[in-house]
Amino acid sequence: MIYEHHSCGYMEPIIGDLVEMGIDSLNPIQPCNNQKLIKETYQVRLTFVGGEDSQGVLEKPGVTEEEIRAEIRRAYDLFAPGGGYVNFPITIKYDYVPIMLDEHFKLANKY
């Protein structure tokens, strides 16, 4: 069985304990955590899901198309190298879904 743990917010101090308990995947790894350190520390033991700044960028009032694309690229560039990454942004603003999908397809082919 594969177990994906979902926990919004700051969870950096307990990730090591979760890994020792046997989780396989961590979702969403929000930017309030040191994402770079988490990737470097656990990249051989975890699959990372998400990583976008949903609250500060994707759900920000007045967010631009370029800001959306830049945030998706930032998450891919951080988590995708070396494998073990599933991009899964959460948004309630359905108007942005076509932009997000377009950027995902471009980046998925890159990695």
Side-chain angles (χ1 to χ4, degrees), residues 10-26:
Y10 182 66
M11 59 183 296
E12 191 175 333
I14 65 167
I15 294 174
D17 293 330
L18 293 170
V19 169
E20 291 304 315
M21 291 169 42
I23 70 166
D24 301 293
S25 179
L26 192 57

Side-chain angles (χ1 to χ4, degrees), residues 17-84:
D17 293 330
L18 293 170
V19 169
E20 291 304 315
M21 291 169 42
I23 70 166
D24 301 293
S25 179
L26 192 57
N27 178 7
I29 318 142
Q30 292 179 308
C32 56
N33 299 281
N34 185 336
Q35 294 176 318
K36 185 175 190 259
L37 178 64
I38 293 168
K39 167 70 175 181
E40 291 169 353
T41 304
Y42 301 106
Q43 65 184 351
V44 297
R45 299 190 62 194
L46 285 176
T47 295
F48 301 103
V49 179
E52 291 92 359
D53 188 350
S54 295
Q55 295 168 327
V57 178
L58 300 182
E59 296 293 331
K60 180 179 77 173
V63 65
T64 67
E65 179 176 334
E66 185 49 42
E67 288 173 315
I68 293 168
R69 291 180 184 279
E71 181 58 18
I72 293 170
R73 282 191 305 269
R74 185 199 63 78
Y76 266 95
D77 290 344
L78 176 62
F79 288 107

